[in-house]
Amino acid sequence: MTRWFRFYSEALDDPKVQMLAPEMFKAWVNLLCIAAKKGGVIETLHETAFALRVTEDALQTIISDLVRRGLLDKVERHYE
């Protein structure tokens, strides 16, 4: 079954989003898709890295940057 998630049109005018490099924007949207499948949570770096076709180190760099920019939140042992 296909799962939909809400994506706000205001992202077009959000400086946090629009200042992302194209590859980082792609990674962010793909992480949103993964989180939508998991109840809004990104838990396992190993599985998430595989889904994005990147190394775990590259994924950690991506996630750290998105957290720093306020586009992902770290909550206990996972990201939302």
Side-chain angles (χ1 to χ4, degrees), residues 3-47:
R3 173 165 281 226
W4 286 83
F5 68 94
R6 185 180 301 196
F7 192 91
Y8 291 99
S9 61
E10 288 84 6
L12 182 62
D13 299 314
D14 186 334
K16 291 189 299 187
V17 173
Q18 293 305 315
M19 291 176 70
L20 292 172
E23 286 299 312
M24 187 62 74
F25 178 82
K26 177 184 174 184
W28 178 63
V29 171
N30 285 332
L31 286 168
L32 294 177
C33 293
I34 291 167
K37 290 181 174 183
K38 308 270 183 170
V41 173
I42 299 165
E43 294 178 312
T44 311
L45 291 183
H46 178 73
E47 291 175 8

Side-chain angles (χ1 to χ4, degrees), residues 55-70:
T55 66
E56 289 183 44
D57 288 340
L59 176 61
Q60 191 59 60
T61 299
I62 290 166
I63 288 175
S64 294
D65 190 39
L66 292 171
V67 167
R68 183 179 55 79
R69 293 171 182 264

